[in-house]
Structure formats: C-alpha cells, structure tokens
Amino acid sequence: MAAYLCPPAVIHGEHTVKTSQIVAEVRDRHPHAPWAPRIDGIAASTGIESRGWMLPLETAVAPGKGSALPAAGVGPARAALAGDGFTAQDVDRVIAALEAIPAPQTVQERTAPAWAAVRSCGERAARGALQIAGLDAADVDCLITSNSTTPALPGLDVALANELPLRNDVMLLPATQWACVAGTRSLALAADLVAADPDRVVLVVIAEALSTTYQPADDTLESLIVRLLFADTAVAAVVTGRPRPESVLRLDAAWHHTLPGTQDLHRLETREDGTHFVMDRRGPRAVQETVTAMWEWLRVRYQDDPDSWHPDVLLAHPGGTRVLEYMEQTMPDGWPSGLLDYSRDSYTSGNRGGAAVFDILRRAHDAGQERGSRAVLYAAAPGLTATALQGEWL
C-alpha cells in the first residue's frame, strides 16, 4: 500500500471565541432551561477554553434581516386580523409590533458567508500544503475534498480547481459526507490512488465551518454541548506514491469499519433556520465498539510480534474525551502511556471534525518524531463509521 505523506498545512479559524462568551450568550438567551444552573460545570467539563471560528460569534447569533411577520405578507395578515374583529387601529398596532420583531436567520443568511469562508480557508490550506511539499498546482493529478457543514453544488473541489488553479485533466473527488472521518478516509483513498499509479500526486483538502451548527434558539442540553465543542479548521496535505524529500510519514495499511443500525445516533439536520447537529447519548459507546474492533485489527496484523509491537504515537479523533479515556483504558497491556497526548492537545481548542486528524498529525510533526516511529491514525464519524491507518515516520 505504501503511500507517502508530506506535512499538512493547518488553517485555524481566525476569530477566537471563548467558552465564557458562549456561556454568557446561552445563559442570557435561555435563563430558564432545565440545565441552566449547571451550565458552568458543563462548560468546564469539556476542557475547552476557546476555539477558532471562521466567522465571529456575533455572526452566529445575529437576527435575520426579515421580521416575525408571517411569510404570507402584510396584506393577508391585515385581512386576517380585520376578519377576526380587530379595528383598523388595532390592526396597525399588531402589524407594527410583528414587523419590529426580528426573525431568525434564514439558511441562506447563515450559510452563505460561511461557505465563502470555507472556500477561502480551503484555498489557503491547499496553497500551504503545496508549498510545504515543494510542488505547484500544476503538479496535482487528483484532488480529494471534504466539506460537510456548508453544502453547495458545485462544491469545494470545483472551487479549488478554479482558484488554485488546477490542470483541466485533474481528477476531482469530493467526499461531502465523510464528516469526522474525512482525515483518515481521505488518506486511505489517496493511498489506493497512488498504489494504482505511483507517479500520481494527490492533494487532500478538508475545510469545515462547524460553527454553522450553533443554533441560538435551541434549548436542549445536546444543543448546549454542540455550541461548546466545535471549532472551524481547514487542512490540506500532499500524498505521493514515491517518497519525496518533504515526506514525513509512510502509510502502510488501512482499516475500515461500519456499525449497522447506528446511522441515527449522530447526524446533521437541515431545518428552516439552518444546519443542526443532533447528538445521541448512546453515541460514545457505539464509537467505543469501533475502537475495540480497531484493537483487534492491529492484534491480528501484528500477531507474529504480540509482545513487542505497539504504536509510538496514536493520532486519534474519536469525537470526545470519553472515548479518548476508553481508548487509554482498553489499550493492550504494555503499551506506553502518552500515546494520545497530541490528540488531547488538539481537543483543548475544540472538536475539528474531519480536519482533526490532520491537525493532530501536524502537532506530532512539529514536536519532532524519530525516524521509524510507528504511527496509528484513527477517526470515527456519524454513521457510525471509522477508518484507521498504520504507518511509519520517515
């Protein structure tokens, strides 16, 4: 399978949003929510003090440009009120009051600026990855993109093909719905592509504006947690079939796993006011099942060397601290501690979704890894589905 990965470029959301700002906004908007007395403890339990967003918090909570007057318009509203016995003066007062109430943002108002930011950050990440790899846009043979939070057609692949620009014969492979598993699964696909043609150059770009799932009107506990967790990030990296001077990691094997009957545990829903991320409390335990299956894959893969083989670094995006703790608790006896340090470090500034594994990989690279260090990359996503990769530092 051998594929060679250059260091990724990571573009964090430029607007710092503190947890204290989110807590203040939510407390002011939902003072009587059942969880309101516990909001400080819930926020502290995430371990996230701030995160980067592509757009400021004020953009997410701003009212829409319309009013609370029904979509039918002023005329039908007046007629309905008059027909119900209201005087002309009363009708005027009611209409004026309705027009003064701001309506929530529409899907277009919320996603259009986020989509522009995704394209811009994705382009910056792509250019950064090419510069790191010592390549030009003209060298790219295939572009793999993932972007789950701001749906658009044409998508990020076509936008980048035009902006970089890429050659007209470049293969474009958009993977819109990979979500949190995009980091590992895009690398697995890239490895398959360069295995078929070792001279192929694959550029991977993942850009997610997870802040678009911040829905001010939601008053559920799950919505509060979503507000607190997500960060916006764009990442990119080059994968080749032959080692380059810039290559830092060789990918040797990939593993995929999907749990049947779990498609409703975590999901995106598009409603009148935009995109909502729906969480189910059963989700972490289901993700744990994929972790157990990954341990078994590694056990079988290295069954001829069961006592001495272990990864030297584990770059994992399981979606939350509970699963990171489960991973540590269920690692085979004898594995060293600290394998998930870079994963934990990344998580302290937010859940980056599909961009997370690249961010974690970049942190490990910047910290310095010895040649020959054994790496395992892992991610799980709504579905529930997971992908892992095993490789070696160069």
Side-chain angles (χ1 to χ4, degrees):
M1 174 186 174
Y4 299 89
L5 176 65
C6 294
V10 180
I11 306 296
H12 300 289
E14 62 181 295
H15 298 277
T16 299
V17 178
K18 297 181 179 179
T19 295
S20 58
Q21 293 175 276
I22 294 174
V23 167
E25 195 279 328
V26 175
R27 179 181 280 123
D28 182 64
R29 192 179 296 270
H30 301 291
H32 304 300
W35 40 259
R38 299 186 288 124
I39 188 170
D40 289 319
I42 293 169
S45 69
T46 66
I48 302 169
E49 294 186 359
S50 67
R51 74 284 292 141
W53 283 4
M54 293 180 183
L55 298 171
L57 175 61
E58 291 75 18
T59 301
V61 301
K65 296 178 181 178
S67 72
L69 192 66
V74 174
R78 284 185 175 277
L81 290 168
D84 210 26
F86 283 80
T87 67
Q89 187 177 16
D90 289 337
V91 169
D92 289 340
R93 283 201 300 267
V94 171
I95 294 296
L98 289 173
E99 289 180 326
I101 301 173
Q105 292 183 48
T106 64
V107 175
Q108 181 180 11
E109 289 172 336
R110 185 66 186 277
T111 59
W115 172 231
V118 163
R119 296 198 311 270
S120 175
C121 291
E123 181 185 347
R124 288 170 57 198
R127 293 187 183 278
L130 290 171
Q131 183 178 18
I132 290 169
L135 296 170
D136 297 320
D139 297 314
V140 176
D141 300 303
C142 177
L143 172 67
I144 301 173
T145 60
S146 187
N147 165 241
S148 303
T149 47
T150 45
L153 182 67
L156 184 61
D157 59 326
V158 174
L160 293 174
N162 282 275
E163 294 300 326
L164 291 176
L166 301 179
R167 301 192 320 266
N168 293 344
D169 63 345
V170 167
M171 182 192 302
L172 303 180
L173 293 173
T176 304
Q177 294 168 318
W178 272 347
C180 297
V181 83
T184 52
R185 195 153 292 173
S186 61
L187 293 179
L189 175 56
D192 287 341
L193 290 168
V194 299
D197 180 359
D199 293 321
R200 185 176 277 156
V201 173
V202 180
L203 174 63
V204 175
V205 182
I206 304 165
E208 294 287 18
L210 292 166
S211 58
T212 55
T213 64
Y214 191 111
Q215 296 296 345
D218 280 1
D219 62 356
T220 64
L221 177 59
E222 289 74 19
S223 176
L224 169 64
I225 295 172
V226 167
R227 286 172 166 93
L228 294 167
L229 291 186
F230 287 144
D232 296 348
T233 316
V235 296
V238 169
V239 179
T240 58
R242 305 186 194 280
R244 297 180 54 80
E246 299 83 4
S247 302
V248 295
L249 184 65
R250 188 188 69 240
L251 303 174
D252 296 324
W255 164 88
H256 305 282
H257 193 79
T258 300
L259 293 175
T262 59
Q263 63 268 28
D264 293 329
L265 294 188
H266 295 323
R267 62 192 186 276
L268 279 180
E269 291 184 354
T270 301
R271 303 175 188 169
E272 185 177 1
D273 56 349
T275 302
H276 295 245
F277 187 75
V278 181
M279 299 177 64
D280 190 298
R281 297 181 186 182
R282 297 171 296 165
R285 186 163 296 280
V287 175
Q288 289 171 8
E289 291 187 41
T290 71
V291 172
T292 302
M294 178 184 65
W295 293 153
E296 178 62 13
W297 169 64
L298 290 171
R299 185 193 68 78
V300 172
R301 180 169 172 77
Y302 294 100
Q303 59 186 336
D304 293 335
D305 194 13
D307 296 325
S308 61
W309 189 90
H310 61 76
D312 299 299
V313 61
L314 178 54
L315 312 175
H317 173 61
T321 55
R322 284 176 58 188
V323 182
L324 286 173
E325 292 168 357
Y326 176 82
M327 293 180 81
E328 289 178 330
Q329 294 165 2
T330 58
M331 285 180 188
D333 294 338
W335 283 22
S337 61
L339 294 179
L340 288 165
D341 285 353
Y342 301 115
S343 299
R344 290 188 177 280
D345 183 50
S346 175
Y347 197 78
T348 60
S349 51
N351 180 328
R352 292 175 170 79
V357 164
F358 279 37
D359 176 66
I360 298 166
L361 175 66
R362 183 74 214 195
R363 292 168 191 264
H365 167 70
D366 290 347
Q369 300 298 314
E370 292 185 9
R371 182 181 178 88
S373 294
R374 297 160 295 196
V376 172
L377 291 68
Y378 162 87
L384 283 165
T385 184
T387 292
L389 296 151
Q390 189 276 318
E392 185 174 295
W393 229 267
L394 303 175

